[in-house]
């Protein structure tokens, strides 16, 4: 188990199951020959050892299967609390990673006012920034889809089942005109040894549709409105391809 000490910089996110904090370490840790001074720590809100172990098991399976995911994640302890210590995606030098799921779950201010209810929601810096500085054009959209298709095939051959909430898309920080890559950084809904509802042991078609749904949401939330239709049309054609494959 990895024991760390350091300073809490900020809350990176909070959901129903996890509270994620950015920690500036007192002493750097070495992972695969690289030193890290800053990490993300995931704390189970329910203090569930089962949730921690399950997330770590899924992450390790993804890493072993060469599926795009975090550079590292280990079980550890911070301020006497068991947690998952992971790469802080916000520290990637050239790529801005965002999850459509983060903005999708943002509470409606009007609804909160009507219900007179306090919602414990923590906004994400990356998603907030990109939603306020939307992408004008994605110059490599088709190439990104073709490359992603091959990666989804690899993932599916390992009998992994995707869900939209798990996917993070990487945008080139300098130009905001390229999708550099995608990865899985949320592990609660990833299925190992996946079999779909019809008993099909090959999840490729379903995984592609899940990926396309998440990409649709990315365009909807992070691309300027007047340019969205072009990308929606491309995604729709890809959806048709995999819908026909299922029929």
């Amino acid at each position: 188990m990895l024991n760390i000490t350091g300073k809490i910089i900020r809350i990176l996110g909070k959901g129903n199951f996890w509270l994620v904090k950015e920690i500036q370490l007192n002493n750097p840790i070495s992972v695969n020959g690289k030193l890290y001074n800053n990490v993300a720590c995931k704390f189970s809100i329910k203090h569930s050892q089962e949730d921690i172990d399950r997330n770590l098991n899924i992450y390790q399976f993804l890493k072993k299967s060469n599926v795009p995911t975090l550079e590292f994640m280990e079980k550890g302890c911070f301020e006497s609390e068991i947690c998952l210590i992971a790469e802080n995606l916000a520290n990637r030098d050239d790529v801005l990673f965002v999850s459509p799921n983060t903005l999708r779950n943002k509470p409606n201010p009007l609804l909160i006012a009507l219900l007179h209810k306090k919602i414990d929601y923590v906004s994400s810096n990356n998603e907030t920034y990109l939603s306020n500085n939307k992408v004008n054009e994605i110059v490599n959209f088709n190439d990104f889809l073709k490359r992603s298709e091959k990666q989804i095939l690899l993932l599916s051959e390992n009998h992994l089942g995707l869900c939209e909430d798990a996917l993070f898309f990487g945008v080139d920080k300098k130009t905001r005109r390229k999708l550099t890559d995608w990865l899985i950084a949320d592990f609660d809904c990833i299925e190992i040894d996946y079999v779909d509802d019809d008993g099909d042991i090959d999840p490729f078609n379903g995984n592609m549709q899940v990926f396309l749904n998440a990409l649709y949401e990315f365009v909807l939330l992070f691309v300027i409105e007047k340019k969205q239709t072009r990308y929606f049309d491309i995604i729709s054609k890809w959806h048709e391809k995999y819908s026909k494959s299922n029929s």
Side-chain angles (χ1 to χ4, degrees):
M1 185 180 295
L2 186 62
N3 289 286
I4 61 170
T5 60
K7 179 183 178 182
I8 300 172
I9 302 300
R10 57 177 169 153
I11 303 298
L12 291 173
K14 185 176 183 181
N16 294 323
F17 302 103
W18 300 97
L19 173 64
V20 186
K21 300 178 182 180
E22 179 181 5
I23 309 296
Q24 188 68 31
L25 300 176
N26 289 335
N27 298 296
I29 58 173
S30 177
V31 181
N32 299 323
K34 183 177 179 180
L35 290 177
Y36 292 86
N37 295 295
N38 182 285
V39 296
C41 287
K42 293 182 65 174
F43 299 88
S44 170
I45 291 175
K46 297 180 180 180
H47 303 286
S48 169
Q49 187 66 49
E50 182 180 350
D51 286 348
I52 289 174
D53 289 341
R54 181 178 180 275
N55 265 242
L56 183 60
N57 181 53
I58 291 172
Y59 168 77
Q60 290 173 339
F61 192 90
L62 292 173
K63 198 70 174 175
K64 183 179 178 181
S65 302
N66 292 318
V67 174
T69 187
L70 300 172
E71 288 293 329
F72 71 91
M73 188 167 80
E74 299 183 28
K75 189 174 180 178
C77 183
F78 176 74
E79 294 185 343
S80 301
E81 186 173 357
I82 302 298
C83 60
L84 290 168
I85 301 170
E87 174 197 10
N88 182 1
L89 274 180
N91 290 335
R92 294 270 181 117
D93 290 336
D94 302 321
V95 183
L96 184 75
F97 277 100
V98 294
S99 168
N101 174 56
T102 301
L103 284 188
R104 188 198 325 133
N105 290 329
K106 184 177 181 179
N108 186 308
L110 179 59
L111 182 61
I112 294 173
L114 289 172
L115 294 175
H116 301 288
K117 185 178 180 181
K118 181 180 178 180
I119 304 295
D120 193 8
Y121 173 80
V122 178
S123 61
S124 166
N125 282 12
N126 282 8
E127 282 80 6
T128 299
Y129 170 79
L130 199 60
S131 65
N132 291 331
N133 300 273
K134 294 183 186 292
V135 174
N136 182 63
E137 181 184 21
I138 306 172
V139 297
N140 65 331
F141 196 73
N142 284 303
D143 289 339
F144 175 77
L145 271 166
K146 291 174 183 176
R147 176 160 45 92
S148 298
E149 181 183 36
K150 294 177 181 178
Q151 293 171 310
I152 299 295
L153 178 60
L154 173 64
L155 179 150
S156 302
E157 287 174 345
N158 285 285
H159 304 292
L160 289 161
L162 274 182
C163 71
E164 289 87 347
D165 294 357
L167 294 171
F168 286 66
F169 294 97
V171 178
D172 177 76
K173 279 185 177 179
K174 292 181 180 179
T175 66
R176 297 204 310 276
R177 298 179 71 235
K178 287 185 178 180
L179 281 169
T180 61
D181 46 10
W182 62 271
L183 52 75
I184 295 172
D186 189 305
F187 310 100
D188 288 307
C189 56
I190 296 296
E191 295 187 52
I192 297 177
D193 298 324
Y194 174 79
V195 177
D196 73 11
D197 294 337
D198 296 322
D200 187 356
I201 61 172
D202 182 4
F204 176 57
N205 287 342
N207 279 337
M208 274 304 301
Q209 292 190 54
V210 166
F211 180 84
L212 293 168
N213 289 342
L215 186 59
Y216 179 96
E217 280 197 294
F218 170 86
V219 173
L220 182 66
L221 295 170
F222 299 113
V223 175
I224 62 172
E225 188 174 354
K226 67 180 181 179
K227 295 289 186 69
Q228 290 177 358
T229 301
R230 172 189 173 190
Y231 304 112
F232 289 157
D233 288 345
I234 295 172
I235 293 171
S236 179
K237 290 177 181 177
W238 278 71
H239 255 303
E240 290 175 8
K241 174 181 176 181
Y242 290 102
S243 295
K244 290 176 183 177
S245 297
N246 275 327
S247 61

